Amino acid sequence: MPRPILATIHPAALRHNLDQARRRALQSRVWAVVKANAYGHGIERVFDAFRSADGIALLDLAEAERVRALGWRGPLLLLEGVFEPRDLELCSRLALWHTVHCDAQIDWLAAHKTQQPHRVFLKMNSGMNRLGFAPGRLRSAWARLNALTQVDEVSLMMHFSDADGPKGIDGALAAFDEATRDLPGERCVANSAALLRHAERTRADWVRPGIVLYGSAPDYPEHDAAHWHLQPTQTLATRLIGVQQLQPGDSVGYGSRFVAEQPMRIGVAAVGYADGYPRVAPSGTPVLVDGVRTRLVGRVSMDMVTVDLTPVPQAGLGSEVVLWGRAGTLPPSAATGMARPVDSHAVLPIDEVAHAAGTVGYELMCAVAPRVPVAVEEEDGAGLPA
Ligand SMILES: *Cc1c(COP(=O)(O)O)cnc(C)c1O
């Protein structure tokens, strides 16, 4: 009997969220961003749901090879471009489009021997100061690229630093428009937050949604996933493997961080920071037990967490514990042999858990550990190991 923990991927939700992104994108073509192994979901597990995207964007060359191996023949974009000259050989061989953000990448292209001219996305630094050419240097970079026989088409891209917050996109967009005013080429701008919050002003040839596809709101807690009509695409669930009855003054876990003030039952769930659940999640972080909302008590251990069973008195050994995502995804437990009542429509948004732990949904979904088995939900609702 393996540990009862399971991550479940929900393809119907991935499809739904891509549709939502596409509706907001209007005429723009949509890159489905699948970097970081599809935000922790697994590229192979999301691929089918994202087949209808106009292109697939990522940044790791090995991941690009995996996407081509799945049979994807459409546009495939390296968001950070190449890391060293020989990466260009793979770009030629797999027809990868790639970002160009610095002079060295242009030097490497100029020295690259290829029969296949490359499509490149010239990146402007619009104030985030990570990658890209300063606005004043964009034109000379464009002219250099445009003169290379190794390059066929030059597109123009930028990335917003503040699309999710009060600073917004005005300054960055104005700088981009100004710097690219009469340059030819397709434009590629918005990330998820810009697409959701500023759709009318980020019309472009291409948009690059990532996190929305995975059902997390980029501007939580100002707006939640339900506000943006997004569905959770990943569930992390496990079961109770122990129950303790506490008396007033009894404490729980390492450091005795939680002390009971009255008699209470607590459940011990088979998940810990070695599974990717954040160790910094404090007492009070929401969880679902048998579909009922309750809270973490005490410190997160490597392999276990402890939860308050007060709101769910019928819970016991084998009860389902959802760390984020949807209730009712675990296969029936042979160990306990009993079907317990589960509110199978209950949802615990990953953003709520992330917020309680002082982070963002992105980090939690990317961090699910390799030791956690993953199932892909079948469209009829049954889980399948994958
Ligand atoms: C990750 C990434 C995106 C997607 O960002 P989200 O916030 O997940 O939508 C878009 N563009 C670039 C360049 C990225 O690196």
Tab-separated table of all heavy atoms in Angstrom, residues 33 35 39 79 159 191-192 208-211 362, ligand 1:
chain	number	residue	atom	x	y	z
A	33	VAL	N	1.770	29.139	-22.179
A	33	VAL	CA	3.085	29.077	-21.541
A	33	VAL	C	3.163	27.800	-20.695
A	33	VAL	O	2.325	27.577	-19.805
A	33	VAL	CB	3.344	30.331	-20.680
A	33	VAL	CG1	4.702	30.239	-19.995
A	33	VAL	CG2	3.286	31.596	-21.542
A	35	LYS	N	6.291	26.663	-19.356
A	35	LYS	CA	7.609	26.568	-18.713
A	35	LYS	C	7.496	25.878	-17.362
A	35	LYS	O	6.376	25.706	-16.843
A	35	LYS	CB	8.203	27.969	-18.566
A	35	LYS	CG	7.412	28.875	-17.633
A	35	LYS	CD	7.928	30.304	-17.701
A	35	LYS	CE	7.097	31.208	-16.804
A	35	LYS	NZ	7.472	32.632	-16.978
A	39	TYR	N	4.168	24.562	-15.276
A	39	TYR	CA	3.868	25.055	-13.929
A	39	TYR	C	3.640	23.872	-12.972
A	39	TYR	O	2.730	23.881	-12.142
A	39	TYR	CB	2.665	25.995	-13.937
A	39	TYR	CG	2.902	27.348	-14.602
A	39	TYR	CD1	3.466	27.435	-15.866
A	39	TYR	CD2	2.546	28.535	-13.971
A	39	TYR	CE1	3.689	28.675	-16.480
A	39	TYR	CE2	2.761	29.775	-14.577
A	39	TYR	CZ	3.328	29.833	-15.832
A	39	TYR	OH	3.540	31.056	-16.444
A	79	LEU	N	11.350	31.538	-24.385
A	79	LEU	CA	11.083	32.866	-23.802
A	79	LEU	C	12.349	33.589	-23.345
A	79	LEU	O	12.335	34.806	-23.185
A	79	LEU	CB	10.130	32.730	-22.614
A	79	LEU	CG	8.687	32.352	-22.966
A	79	LEU	CD1	7.934	31.915	-21.715
A	79	LEU	CD2	7.980	33.510	-23.638
A	159	HIS	N	7.744	42.553	-21.475
A	159	HIS	CA	7.123	41.833	-20.358
A	159	HIS	C	6.791	42.850	-19.267
A	159	HIS	O	7.620	43.683	-18.923
A	159	HIS	CB	8.121	40.789	-19.829
A	159	HIS	CG	7.536	39.797	-18.866
A	159	HIS	ND1	6.436	39.030	-19.166
A	159	HIS	CD2	7.901	39.447	-17.615
A	159	HIS	CE1	6.155	38.241	-18.132
A	159	HIS	NE2	7.023	38.483	-17.175
A	191	ASN	N	1.180	39.135	-20.341
A	191	ASN	CA	1.115	37.942	-19.497
A	191	ASN	C	-0.315	37.815	-18.950
A	191	ASN	O	-1.207	38.590	-19.334
A	191	ASN	CB	2.150	38.027	-18.364
A	191	ASN	CG	1.949	39.265	-17.492
A	191	ASN	OD1	1.040	40.064	-17.701
A	191	ASN	ND2	2.815	39.422	-16.501
A	192	SER	N	-0.539	36.881	-18.033
A	192	SER	CA	-1.903	36.642	-17.545
A	192	SER	C	-2.523	37.886	-16.930
A	192	SER	O	-3.673	38.233	-17.215
A	192	SER	CB	-1.909	35.543	-16.477
A	192	SER	OG	-1.543	34.317	-17.026
A	208	ARG	N	0.700	36.094	-24.010
A	208	ARG	CA	1.437	34.972	-23.400
A	208	ARG	C	0.886	34.590	-22.035
A	208	ARG	O	1.557	34.770	-21.018
A	208	ARG	CB	2.917	35.351	-23.226
A	208	ARG	CG	3.636	35.819	-24.476
A	208	ARG	CD	5.123	35.982	-24.232
A	208	ARG	NE	5.420	36.918	-23.158
A	208	ARG	CZ	5.605	38.225	-23.305
A	208	ARG	NH1	5.546	38.755	-24.503
A	208	ARG	NH2	5.864	38.990	-22.269
A	209	PRO	N	-0.330	34.071	-21.960
A	209	PRO	CA	-0.850	33.686	-20.645
A	209	PRO	C	-0.191	32.412	-20.111
A	209	PRO	O	-0.006	31.444	-20.849
A	209	PRO	CB	-2.339	33.445	-20.917
A	209	PRO	CG	-2.385	33.031	-22.355
A	209	PRO	CD	-1.296	33.808	-23.045
A	210	GLY	N	0.161	32.457	-18.835
A	210	GLY	CA	0.677	31.276	-18.164
A	210	GLY	C	-0.260	30.885	-17.035
A	210	GLY	O	-1.112	30.001	-17.178
A	211	ILE	N	-0.156	31.589	-15.923
A	211	ILE	CA	-0.815	31.157	-14.688
A	211	ILE	C	-2.335	31.012	-14.827
A	211	ILE	O	-2.922	30.135	-14.202
A	211	ILE	CB	-0.445	32.116	-13.513
A	211	ILE	CG1	-0.810	31.512	-12.166
A	211	ILE	CG2	-1.094	33.483	-13.673
A	211	ILE	CD1	0.059	30.367	-11.739
A	362	TYR	N	1.642	30.180	-8.079
A	362	TYR	CA	2.706	29.717	-8.987
A	362	TYR	C	3.691	28.799	-8.239
A	362	TYR	O	4.075	27.753	-8.725
A	362	TYR	CB	3.571	30.869	-9.489
A	362	TYR	CG	2.978	31.976	-10.324
A	362	TYR	CD1	2.240	32.991	-9.745
A	362	TYR	CD2	3.230	32.053	-11.692
A	362	TYR	CE1	1.768	34.064	-10.512
A	362	TYR	CE2	2.758	33.120	-12.456
A	362	TYR	CZ	2.026	34.120	-11.855
A	362	TYR	OH	1.568	35.159	-12.608
B	1	LIG	C1	6.231	33.180	-17.416
B	1	LIG	C2	6.104	34.169	-18.481
B	1	LIG	C3	4.833	34.542	-18.947
B	1	LIG	C4	3.554	34.043	-18.314
B	1	LIG	O1	3.359	34.725	-17.116
B	1	LIG	P1	2.041	34.454	-16.230
B	1	LIG	O2	2.121	35.464	-15.146
B	1	LIG	O3	2.176	33.071	-15.711
B	1	LIG	O4	0.899	34.616	-17.129
B	1	LIG	C5	4.770	35.431	-20.002
B	1	LIG	N1	5.891	35.927	-20.571
B	1	LIG	C6	7.127	35.606	-20.142
B	1	LIG	C7	8.311	36.200	-20.792
B	1	LIG	C8	7.272	34.719	-19.088
B	1	LIG	O5	8.491	34.381	-18.668
